[in-house]
Amino acid sequence: MSQQRSITIHAPATVANMVCGFDVLGFAVNDPYDIMKIRFSDRPGVTIVNEDAYNLPLEPEKNVAGAALLALLEEAPDVKGLEITINKQIKPGSGVGSSAASAAGAVVAANILLGHPFSKPDLVRFAMNGEKVASGVKHADNIAPCIYGGVTLIRSIFPLDIIQLNAPPLFVTIVHPQIEVRTADARSILKQQILLKDAIKQWGNIAGLVAGLQQQDYELIGRSLEDVLIEPVRSILIPGFDQVKKRSRDAGALGGGISGSGPSIFMLSRDEATAKKVEQEMHSVYDAINLEHHTYVTTINSNGITITEQ
Ligand code: ADP
């Protein structure tokens, strides 16, 4: 293995908590994505080089990419050191898996550099150490779609059980209003107990959504994109949420909801023209209340992390 060799990858943004699929369903998108480059280093452990303006920590144990790589290095004892260069395009804290892209991208790139000693579940396991740095808990609902691509179901984290779902072509419109929703706040306002009647609605919708994706039934997908448990509580943290949702549906979107723990909102559409109409509705909601925001119109990314140079 040449010590000079380097690997460059693109690690995509991801949407977790796919409406009714809180903590279990997520998908990767084609835009935005982070660019990361990894190579062997004579410096022991992990060295981080930032090529963006986000000023993320350079100490490996505080940077999600570093924490994920340290977990990988524990199981790759022959490797002295790795240097990772991060050019982040996915704004941290936006709710579209910025931390997962760094954690997953770092370990996938390292695995390629090392000649593929690890399986995808191993890589998810390492990357979850990065998510723990970002949010205090190990979770895989952004990591899994980032690594596997497409729509993924996390049936269980301990033990890890990830299922890749088939999905029909879907366009995704994302709006990121420039406000801060702290993940800790978004978690702390959730109710710890739910009513049986609400649980029944929710699992009906999850089953409907999974069946709709597998059968490429857009009507069923649209009917199942309903969250009676989390969204009513969390959406109060996001200005304009109800309007964005209503106007997107009126414009022809199948449905959507909060991306991750917010503040980004995503909507799914069957075709690009509708996805662009939805984007216009999002602009008009936030322009009316003078709230700075960014939008993306993209598609589901079925490949996950891709190698661009090796
Ligand atoms: P997102 O859903 O956009 O990933 P999170 O709140 O889960 O947002 O994660 C972002 C947090 O993780 C921020 O506090 C950020 O400072 C921290 N962090 C540490 N290292 C990184 C990294 N390499 N990429 C992104 N976020 C990082």
Side-chain angles (χ1 to χ4, degrees):
M1 237 177 300
S2 158
Q3 297 290 303
Q4 305 304 316
R5 193 168 158 237
S6 71
I7 304 288
T8 304
I9 56 102
H10 286 180
T14 45
V15 171
N17 296 338
M18 190 176 178
V19 192
C20 46
F22 179 69
D23 266 2
V24 296
L25 287 175
F27 61 87
V29 292
N30 280 306
D31 191 40
Y33 53 82
D34 286 351
I35 304 165
M36 301 169 87
K37 184 173 179 172
I38 196 161
R39 63 179 186 86
F40 291 110
S41 167
D42 291 333
R43 261 182 79 174
V46 177
T47 306
I48 294 173
V49 179
N50 284 331
E51 268 191 350
D52 51 55
Y54 292 118
N55 267 325
L56 289 165
L58 291 172
E59 303 94 312
E61 50 296 327
K62 290 191 188 154
N63 187 303
V64 303
L69 285 175
L70 289 173
L72 177 144
L73 282 180
E74 273 183 32
E75 295 183 31
D78 296 338
V79 182
K80 186 174 173 201
L82 294 170
E83 180 190 278
I84 182 112
T85 304
I86 306 174
N87 184 342
K88 185 159 277 299
Q89 313 281 314
I90 313 168
K91 193 171 177 185
S94 52
V96 288
S98 177
S99 52
S102 277
V107 295
V108 167
N111 194 42
I112 300 163
L113 189 71
L114 299 176
H116 298 276
F118 299 113
S119 67
K120 281 188 177 172
D122 286 335
L123 298 174
V124 172
R125 198 161 46 79
F126 300 143
M128 283 198 300
N129 286 280
E131 288 293 52
K132 192 157 186 236
V133 170
S135 65
V137 280
K138 284 189 180 180
H139 63 95
D141 45 345
N142 291 100
I143 298 281
C146 194
I147 290 181
Y148 286 72
V151 185
T152 56
L153 167 68
I154 321 290
R155 197 200 61 81
S156 153
I157 297 196
F158 303 112
L160 205 53
D161 190 1
I162 296 166
I163 299 104
Q164 229 178 335
L165 302 175
N166 293 322
L170 283 166
F171 286 81
V172 188
T173 317
I174 297 171
V175 63
H176 176 206
Q178 304 290 294
I179 55 156
E180 191 187 349
V181 171
R182 290 182 41 220
T183 309
D185 292 343
R187 280 210 171 259
S188 69
I189 61 169
L190 295 180
K191 295 183 217 151
Q192 291 305 312
Q193 276 164 359
I194 56 171
L195 295 175
L196 182 61
K197 71 175 177 53
D198 291 338
I200 293 168
K201 264 198 178 170
Q202 195 85 353
W203 62 56
N205 279 327
I206 297 172
L209 179 54
V210 171
L213 291 167
Q214 300 288 91
Q215 294 168 12
Q216 315 222 337
D217 181 339
Y218 288 104
E219 302 295 325
L220 178 56
I221 293 170
R223 290 201 299 283
S224 307
L225 286 172
E226 178 197 32
D227 171 9
V228 297
L229 296 180
I230 311 297
E231 184 182 289
V233 183
R234 275 196 172 167
S235 58
I236 54 167
L237 299 174
I238 306 172
F241 178 85
D242 290 341
Q243 275 213 56
V244 166
K245 198 170 150 187
K246 179 174 184 320
R247 289 172 64 162
S248 298
R249 284 232 193 215
D250 291 348
L254 295 167
I258 303 168
S259 178
S261 53
S264 289
I265 305 170
F266 77 98
M267 288 289 150
L268 298 177
S269 300
R270 283 183 79 142
D271 55 76
E272 191 174 13
T274 307
K276 285 191 166 159
K277 265 196 239 164
V278 168
E279 183 187 31
Q280 289 316 312
E281 296 298 333
M282 290 168 166
H283 280 312
S284 78
V285 169
Y286 286 115
D287 286 345
I289 55 172
N290 253 324
L291 184 54
E292 206 191 314
H293 59 281
H294 294 298
T295 56
Y296 297 94
V297 176
T298 182
T299 46
I300 292 195
N301 170 340
S302 49
N303 301 312
I305 291 162
T306 48
I307 310 169
T308 57
E309 223 181 290
Q310 63 176 317

Coordinates of all heavy atoms in Angstrom, one line a residue, residues 16 28 72 90 114 174 179 196 200 212 264 297 299:
A16 N -33.2 12.4 8.2 CA -33.6 11.4 9.2 C -35.0 11.7 9.7 O -35.6 12.7 9.3 CB -32.6 11.3 10.3
A28 N -30.8 9.4 1.8 CA -29.7 10.3 1.4 C -30.2 11.1 0.2 O -31.0 10.6 -0.6 CB -28.5 9.4 1.0
L72 N -12.4 3.4 14.5 CA -11.9 2.5 13.5 C -10.4 2.1 13.8 O -10.1 0.9 13.6 CB -12.0 3.2 12.1 CG -11.5 2.5 10.9 CD1 -12.3 2.8 9.7 CD2 -10.0 2.9 10.5
I90 N -22.2 21.1 4.0 CA -23.4 20.9 4.7 C -23.3 21.6 6.0 O -22.5 21.2 6.9 CB -23.7 19.4 4.9 CG1 -23.5 18.6 3.7 CG2 -25.1 19.2 5.5 CD1 -23.5 17.0 4.0
L114 N -7.5 1.5 3.3 CA -6.9 0.4 4.0 C -7.2 -0.9 3.2 O -6.8 -2.0 3.6 CB -7.5 0.2 5.4 CG -7.2 1.3 6.4 CD1 -7.9 1.1 7.7 CD2 -5.7 1.5 6.6
I174 N -35.8 20.9 0.0 CA -35.5 21.2 1.4 C -35.4 22.7 1.6 O -34.8 23.4 0.8 CB -34.1 20.5 1.7 CG1 -34.2 19.0 1.5 CG2 -33.6 20.9 3.1 CD1 -32.8 18.3 1.6
I179 N -32.4 29.6 11.5 CA -32.6 29.7 13.0 C -31.9 28.5 13.6 O -31.6 27.6 12.9 CB -34.1 29.7 13.4 CG1 -34.8 28.5 12.9 CG2 -34.8 31.0 13.0 CD1 -36.0 28.1 13.6
L196 N -52.2 4.7 23.0 CA -52.3 3.6 22.1 C -52.9 3.9 20.8 O -52.4 3.5 19.7 CB -53.1 2.4 22.8 CG -53.2 1.1 22.0 CD1 -51.8 0.5 21.7 CD2 -54.0 0.1 22.8
I200 N -51.1 3.3 17.2 CA -51.7 2.5 16.1 C -51.7 3.3 14.8 O -51.3 2.8 13.7 CB -53.2 2.1 16.4 CG1 -53.1 1.1 17.6 CG2 -53.9 1.5 15.2 CD1 -54.5 0.9 18.3
G212 N -45.6 1.4 0.4 CA -45.7 2.4 -0.8 C -44.4 2.5 -1.5 O -44.3 2.6 -2.7
S264 N -34.5 22.4 9.4 CA -34.8 22.1 8.0 C -36.1 21.4 7.8 O -36.5 20.5 8.7 CB -33.7 21.4 7.2 OG -32.6 22.2 7.1
V297 N -33.3 21.8 -4.3 CA -34.1 20.9 -5.0 C -33.2 19.7 -5.5 O -32.3 20.0 -6.2 CB -34.9 21.5 -6.2 CG1 -35.7 20.5 -7.0 CG2 -35.8 22.7 -5.7
T299 N -32.6 15.0 -5.5 CA -33.3 13.7 -5.7 C -32.7 12.8 -4.6 O -31.6 13.1 -4.0 CB -33.0 13.1 -7.1 OG1 -31.6 13.3 -7.4 CG2 -33.8 13.8 -8.1

